[in-house]
Amino acid sequence: GKTVLGLLPPGEARELLLRAGSGIIARPDDVEDIGRKLGELFQQHEQGITPAEPDWDFISQFALARQQEKLIQTLDFTIDTKG
């Protein structure tokens, strides 16, 4: 996986990125922190280091096929209970 630089305030999106293990977070209003994080990412890239450690089990729940399956189950349930 590739590392994502998330410019995110505290909240759900920030928590999702942290939980997924695929990102580095900086506050969107902190230019110095953004610069530091970009510098760290660049140095790690130059050294061949991948800082992200994705949680693939967590991430897989957002895959299209899984989302489609959930939608079908919901529709089947709705049809069965209304039918």
Side-chain angles (χ1 to χ4, degrees):
K2 297 194 182 215
T3 303
V4 175
L5 174 59
L7 304 179
L8 302 165
E12 192 169 331
R14 180 185 184 108
E15 294 305 314
L16 281 171
L17 189 57
L18 290 171
R19 174 69 177 86
S22 58
I24 294 176
I25 306 294
R27 291 186 61 97
D29 57 351
D30 189 340
V31 176
E32 290 180 14
D33 189 38
I34 295 169
R36 271 192 306 277
K37 299 290 172 67
L38 282 171
E40 290 170 15
L41 285 171
F42 180 75
Q43 287 178 346
Q44 291 168 347
H45 175 74
E46 289 290 302
Q47 297 170 2
I49 299 170
T50 305
E53 294 181 22
D55 179 344
W56 293 112
D57 288 333
F58 177 75
I59 294 169
S60 70
Q61 70 181 311
F62 303 106
L64 178 59
R66 196 170 231 181
Q67 293 298 312
Q68 289 170 333
E69 183 180 316
K70 287 180 182 180
L71 176 60
I72 290 167
Q73 289 172 352
T74 300
L75 291 173
D76 285 345
F77 176 78
T78 303
I79 292 167
D80 288 345
T81 58
K82 301 285 181 183

